[in-house]
Amino acid sequence: MIIEKGNVKCFLNENLAFILKPSTHNFYSLVTDSNLDRERYNITVSCSDEGVPSLSSSVTLTLQISDVNDNAPVFERSSYEAYIVENNTPGLSIFTVKATDADWNQNARVSYILEDSSVNGVPVSSYVSVSADSGVIHAVRSFDYEQIKDFRFHVKAQDGGSPPLSSNVSVKILIQDQNDNPPQVLYPVQTGGSVVAEMVPRSAEVGYLVTKVVAVDVDSGQNAWLSYKLQKATDRALFEVGLQNGEIRTIRQVTDKDAVKQRLTVIVEDNGQPSRSATVIVNVAVADSFPEVLSEFTDSTHDKEYNDNLTFYLVLALAVVSFLFITCLVVIISVKIYRWRQSRILYHSSLPVIPYYPPRYSDTLGTGTLQHVYNYEVCRTTDSRKSDCKFGRAASQNVLCLNNFMFSLQL
């Protein structure tokens, strides 16, 4: 009984990748039962004897497994698709790719690399870039939907183990259209020098097809949906334009009172937000003979050229007159400022005044009362309140200074 009470049985509380194998009396060995793919294990071993009542105790063993770089990074998706609107700002963040590694520490550190490839003969690195640490994909250039609609490339995720393990994923970028192109009118062709007119006979009935405005828009989707409207017309009660097809038709019977020359302005708008538009001028000649049309449009062409030349010369003359006026005004102001500055300089000048004494003179004929010369010195300043007057001796010379003039007084 004593021996039975001393027998001990040990077992594991959890079904882990380990088992207990008895080796000798009351000794057990902990051995692995499968491949280890975890980095740390907490193993709880419980032991009990065979006594009555049975006594037991347990202990927890912490097992640290050294990591081996045996797991490659795994992306969250098998492939990626992202959208970007054209005319974007270079450097714009498009989206982020994400990969994880089941290893630890340095072996689990993932870096992202853009694999070399080309798009329409151009390196993909000139289109996008990938942040090595975060996996954020940035646009390197501004995209134009009319030039490139989508492109594909690969991103590689590589861990920091030795040797490193990696995996890659396919990424597709789709360019979204923006309404950045106005409609282009293909017909009627707009010519600068000559006038092209569509002829309508005076016998035309209601609904007569005059011509058709043809336009295209290089955008896509609703940005390329076009509508046609009659903006101006010589006689709005005579013509109409089809909203969707651009056909110009008569809406009443043509009469002899209708003018020969009819001028229609058609506006073509797309369906984008905001919408863009283009205008086209359609000349219509209501006549039965070609000479009548020719004389009408030839006169109008000469009148237009005359008016254009007259306008040009008027604008040129106005520019010349304005230039001369401004030049004269600047010269006058400059002269005024120069004179004002000179007067200020003379007024504030502190330089001493050096008098000039003329040579002596006497009354040689003896006609004077006094035979000697008496001179008086009168000095005047710019401020009359500060004047000074001196009386000199006989035979002395004094000078009168007044407003930059010098003279002598003789008695």
Side-chain angles (χ1 to χ4, degrees):
M1 293 293 295
I2 295 176
I3 296 176
E4 293 178 356
K5 292 180 181 179
N7 292 333
V8 177
K9 292 182 178 181
C10 296
F11 56 91
L12 299 176
N13 291 345
E14 297 180 7
N15 185 18
L16 301 175
F18 303 93
I19 58 175
L20 287 175
K21 286 185 177 182
S23 55
T24 59
H25 181 66
N26 292 341
F27 283 89
Y28 290 84
S29 298
L30 181 63
V31 297
T32 59
D33 188 38
S34 61
N35 294 330
L36 301 180
D37 55 358
R38 297 176 181 270
E39 315 305 331
R40 183 173 180 175
Y41 293 90
N42 292 323
I43 305 170
T44 301
V45 180
S46 299
C47 298
S48 61
D49 58 22
E50 295 182 357
V52 179
S54 176
L55 301 177
S56 64
S57 63
S58 61
V59 63
T60 300
L61 305 175
T62 300
L63 183 63
Q64 184 73 36
I65 307 298
S66 298
D67 184 39
V68 176
N69 190 29
D70 56 349
N71 294 289
V74 178
F75 284 95
E76 295 179 348
R77 301 180 187 177
S78 58
S79 62
Y80 290 87
E81 276 192 3
Y83 295 87
I84 183 173
V85 180
E86 67 171 335
N87 302 319
N88 59 285
T89 303
L92 178 68
S93 174
I94 303 177
F95 73 107
T96 303
V97 294
K98 182 69 175 177
T100 56
D101 196 307
D103 294 322
W104 272 29
N105 297 331
Q106 185 67 22
N107 294 334
R109 183 178 180 181
V110 179
S111 58
Y112 303 91
I113 303 172
L114 179 64
E115 292 193 340
D116 293 335
S117 60
S118 62
V119 179
N120 297 331
V122 180
V124 70
S125 57
S126 64
Y127 287 88
V128 293
S129 64
V130 180
S131 175
D133 296 328
S134 61
V136 179
I137 297 179
H138 297 273
V140 176
R141 64 167 63 180
S142 178
F143 297 109
D144 188 354
Y145 177 83
E146 285 71 40
Q147 295 182 359
I148 180 171
K149 295 179 173 54
D150 60 78
F151 61 96
R152 190 184 300 271
F153 57 93
H154 290 83
V155 175
K156 180 172 68 174
Q158 180 175 287
D159 61 25
S162 181
L165 300 178
S166 63
S167 60
N168 56 29
V169 68
S170 174
V171 180
K172 185 178 182 180
I173 303 294
L174 296 98
I175 314 299
Q176 290 183 327
D177 183 43
Q178 196 176 39
N179 190 31
D180 57 343
N181 294 285
Q184 298 178 2
V185 178
L186 302 181
Y187 186 85
V189 179
Q190 301 295 293
T191 57
S194 60
V195 178
V196 179
E198 304 290 339
M199 289 191 61
V200 176
R202 294 191 178 274
S203 60
E205 299 291 336
V206 177
Y208 178 83
L209 178 61
V210 179
T211 187
K212 181 177 181 179
V213 178
V214 181
V216 295
D217 196 314
V218 295
D219 293 322
S220 66
Q222 66 176 9
N223 294 332
W225 298 350
L226 301 179
S227 59
Y228 304 83
K229 298 177 182 177
L230 184 60
Q231 188 180 36
K232 296 179 181 179
T234 304
D235 187 356
R236 298 187 67 93
L238 183 57
F239 302 100
E240 67 174 359
V241 180
L243 182 63
Q244 302 298 330
N245 54 22
E247 294 180 350
I248 300 177
R249 295 179 179 272
T250 58
I251 55 178
R252 64 172 176 81
Q253 178 72 38
V254 180
T255 63
D256 295 337
K257 297 181 180 180
D258 293 324
V260 176
K261 181 182 177 181
Q262 299 284 336
R263 183 184 178 92
L264 310 178
T265 302
V266 179
I267 182 170
V268 185
E269 293 182 339
D270 60 24
N271 199 37
Q273 294 295 330
S275 64
R276 292 179 174 268
S277 62
T279 57
V280 58
I281 297 176
V282 181
N283 294 301
V284 179
V286 181
D288 293 326
S289 61
F290 183 75
E292 181 182 359
V293 176
L294 184 61
S295 61
E296 180 71 22
F297 280 89
T298 302
D299 295 339
S300 64
T301 302
H302 292 321
D303 293 341
K304 182 178 182 300
E305 292 178 354
Y306 174 77
N307 292 332
D308 292 342
N309 293 333
L310 181 61
T311 303
F312 171 76
Y313 288 117
L314 288 176
V315 172
L316 182 61
L318 180 61
V320 172
V321 172
S322 300
F323 174 76
L324 293 177
F325 173 75
I326 294 174
T327 303
C328 294
L329 188 63
V330 171
V331 171
I332 293 173
I333 294 175
S334 300
V335 172
K336 291 286 186 181
I337 294 175
Y338 175 77
R339 290 181 176 178
W340 178 80
R341 287 175 58 88
Q342 290 295 103
S343 64
R344 297 289 294 178
I345 292 174
L346 293 175
Y347 181 79
H348 291 287
S349 176
S350 59
L351 297 176
V353 177
I354 302 175
Y356 168 74
Y357 296 93
R360 297 180 179 181
Y361 66 95
S362 61
D363 189 359
T364 57
L365 299 179
T367 59
T369 305
L370 299 177
Q371 296 297 325
H372 300 283
V373 178
Y374 287 86
N375 297 318
Y376 298 90
E377 178 183 3
V378 180
C379 297
R380 305 283 295 180
T381 64
T382 55
D383 190 353
S384 62
R385 292 174 300 175
K386 297 181 180 180
S387 302
D388 191 12
C389 183
K390 294 182 181 179
F391 296 92
R393 294 185 302 230
S396 64
Q397 279 291 318
N398 296 290
V399 179
L400 174 61
C401 305
L402 178 61
N403 293 333
N404 296 329
F405 294 100
M406 295 185 294
F407 58 92
S408 299
L409 298 177
Q410 178 180 0
L411 295 178

